[in-house]
Amino acid sequence: MECSVVLPLQTGAGGAVVGTRPRGGVPVQAFWRADRRRRFASAVAPARCSKMYVPGFGEGSPERKAATNLQHFFNYVAVRVVLAQLESYNREAYYELKEFVSRTSLNDAEIFCKKLIRESPRLKGLAMRILEVRSAYVKRDFEWDNLKKLSFKMVDDSNTKLMRDYVLEVSHIEDENHNIK
């Protein structure tokens, strides 16, 4: 869903020109022209959605950035699963894949898989296996609801701890938990 908010953009002579900002999160109540103190009629309308505007992600969004990072993580998980499987039944392929992983970064899933496919016929087959495992893990085994719950909990716990530590620091109140003798 694409959102936009009408905002005044200042021009050189103190007048205002109406422009738009994508994904506005704060409803715009009214903007006044400096020279005539008149409200822009188009600026009275609230934003089309209540999503927070997050600058700095170019054409994407924070969700897209997170999805890309998750894809890299799922590739890492798939490599670990395939290595564990190979270790028990095909030691030669295990050592070959392990050696490839030791000299190739797993930070970018696409680059890793492209290199693996082109390395050798055996590794091409292992690359196909990694792609299968990655897809199966995402679709069947990854606990998406648990990720959401854990993310909420971790952010809330971290915020609470940071605020608590700050209050203790600025108020000079001694913490009962830290002063147990």
Side-chain angles (χ1 to χ4, degrees):
M1 172 185 225
E2 188 62 30
C3 305
S4 63
V5 173
V6 179
L7 294 174
L9 301 173
Q10 294 298 324
T11 60
V17 176
V18 176
T20 62
R21 177 179 74 179
R23 291 186 62 126
V26 180
V28 178
Q29 299 301 323
F31 288 94
W32 296 82
R33 282 180 77 148
D35 56 342
R36 292 196 186 126
R37 309 287 269 164
R38 273 194 320 181
R39 220 180 338 187
F40 283 107
S42 61
V44 175
R48 292 185 195 161
C49 73
S50 60
K51 297 278 185 177
M52 183 183 300
Y53 171 69
V54 182
F57 285 92
E59 295 295 319
S61 65
E63 293 81 5
R64 184 164 183 85
K65 180 78 169 178
T68 300
N69 288 328
L70 277 172
Q71 181 183 7
H72 299 320
F73 175 71
F74 293 141
N75 195 67
Y76 170 79
V77 168
V79 168
R80 300 290 299 182
V81 167
V82 171
L83 279 169
Q85 292 169 346
L86 290 172
E87 188 175 22
S88 64
Y89 74 88
N90 188 341
R91 302 289 279 176
E92 187 179 329
Y94 167 79
Y95 288 120
E96 191 174 355
L97 180 58
K98 186 115 172 117
E99 190 273 327
F100 180 83
V101 169
S102 71
R103 62 183 163 82
T104 308
S105 173
L106 277 164
N107 290 339
D108 188 319
E110 297 305 306
I111 292 172
F112 177 84
C113 289
K114 281 180 185 179
K115 287 180 179 180
L116 186 61
I117 288 169
R118 288 166 179 75
E119 183 75 11
S120 72
R122 181 198 309 249
L123 289 180
K124 178 183 177 186
L126 293 177
M128 296 300 127
R129 177 68 184 143
I130 288 168
L131 297 179
E132 290 172 9
V133 169
R134 180 172 80 175
S135 182
Y137 181 72
V138 167
K139 291 176 183 171
R140 292 191 305 244
D141 295 325
F142 189 75
E143 296 180 12
W144 293 98
D145 293 336
N146 196 26
L147 171 67
K148 187 175 180 178
K149 287 178 200 171
L150 284 171
S151 296
F152 287 167
K153 183 176 179 358
M154 289 173 68
V155 167
D156 288 344
D157 289 351
S158 177
N159 288 351
T160 301
K161 182 186 181 320
L162 289 168
M163 289 185 283
R164 180 177 176 268
D165 291 348
Y166 176 73
V167 168
L168 287 172
E169 181 183 318
V170 298
S171 65
H172 304 291
I173 297 174
E174 294 193 17
D175 185 5
E176 294 172 12
N177 296 332
H178 295 307
N179 293 327
I180 297 175
K181 294 181 182 180

